[in-house]
Amino acid sequence: MLDRIKKFIQKVVSINDTPESLSRGIAIGFFFGVSIFWGLQIILALLFAQLLKGNKKAAAIMTAVSNPLTTPLIYPGCYKIGHFIVNDPEKNIDYSAISTLVDIINMGLPFIEAMLAGTFIAGSTGALVCYIASKKYLMHRKRHNAASMAGIKDMDGIS
């Protein structure tokens, strides 16, 4: 599992673009990946990446943060956060039974409000962390690669 996560991260950070654009794309993709807009996550991530000058490929890939393995962890946590904020009566919810926007609508307005609030807060917080961490990492990587290339060029001059 850890190996798959490492490969996933490598796939995203190996996209050829500026650290700023990649970091924006990663953050946007995370935000919409956590959202309850199933079926629209990639489309929304691409739209906002275009508007905010983020890398569209990174945004699309990062929406995969919610998948069949992570959904049972993400959405109950988001619901708890949202439930606390909007103060709706807490329900015992089978998230595996929710697979479309129609399923979400059928859960009722209090559930939708709680999920919107919870996913917004979790998505915003995670997006901020993703943006800061990825930008720091990508800037470090860019400097390291530039230094490595300078070292190679110096060696070429010696030969």
Side-chain angles (χ1 to χ4, degrees):
M1 175 80 166
L2 199 54
D3 208 30
R4 291 176 80 168
I5 293 170
K6 189 175 180 179
K7 286 179 184 178
F8 178 78
I9 292 170
Q10 280 300 102
K11 184 176 184 176
V12 175
V13 298
S14 67
I15 298 169
N16 190 21
D17 204 347
T18 66
E20 179 64 32
S21 178
L22 276 172
S23 297
R24 282 186 195 158
I26 289 167
I28 291 164
F30 183 91
F31 177 82
F32 285 105
V34 173
S35 77
I36 65 167
F37 300 113
W38 297 312
L40 298 173
Q41 291 172 322
I42 292 175
I43 294 167
L44 290 169
L46 290 171
L47 174 68
F48 277 81
Q50 178 70 35
L51 292 171
L52 300 172
K53 295 180 174 67
N55 184 282
K56 291 184 277 302
K57 187 174 182 181
I61 292 169
M62 281 303 292
T63 62
V65 70
S66 63
N67 58 62
L69 294 175
T70 60
T71 296
L73 303 171
I74 293 172
Y75 294 112
C78 288
Y79 176 73
K80 291 268 189 203
I81 293 167
H83 163 73
F84 178 75
I85 291 167
V86 300
N87 201 27
D88 75 307
E90 190 167 2
K91 303 170 186 150
N92 193 7
I93 298 161
D94 178 13
Y95 293 92
S96 65
I98 302 171
S99 61
T100 66
L101 286 174
V102 173
D103 294 337
I104 294 170
I105 292 166
N106 289 337
M107 295 296 292
L109 190 57
F111 173 78
I112 294 169
E113 289 172 340
M115 285 300 287
L116 282 171
T119 59
F120 180 81
I121 289 171
S124 298
T125 304
L128 182 62
V129 169
C130 284
Y131 176 79
I132 292 168
S134 65
K135 187 165 182 191
K136 185 175 182 175
Y137 170 77
L138 291 164
M139 292 296 289
H140 170 76
R141 184 174 155 182
K142 184 178 180 179
R143 284 190 300 272
H144 177 75
N145 288 345
S148 294
M149 292 304 289
I152 291 170
K153 287 179 184 175
D154 288 344
M155 291 181 70
D156 286 343
I158 295 172
S159 301

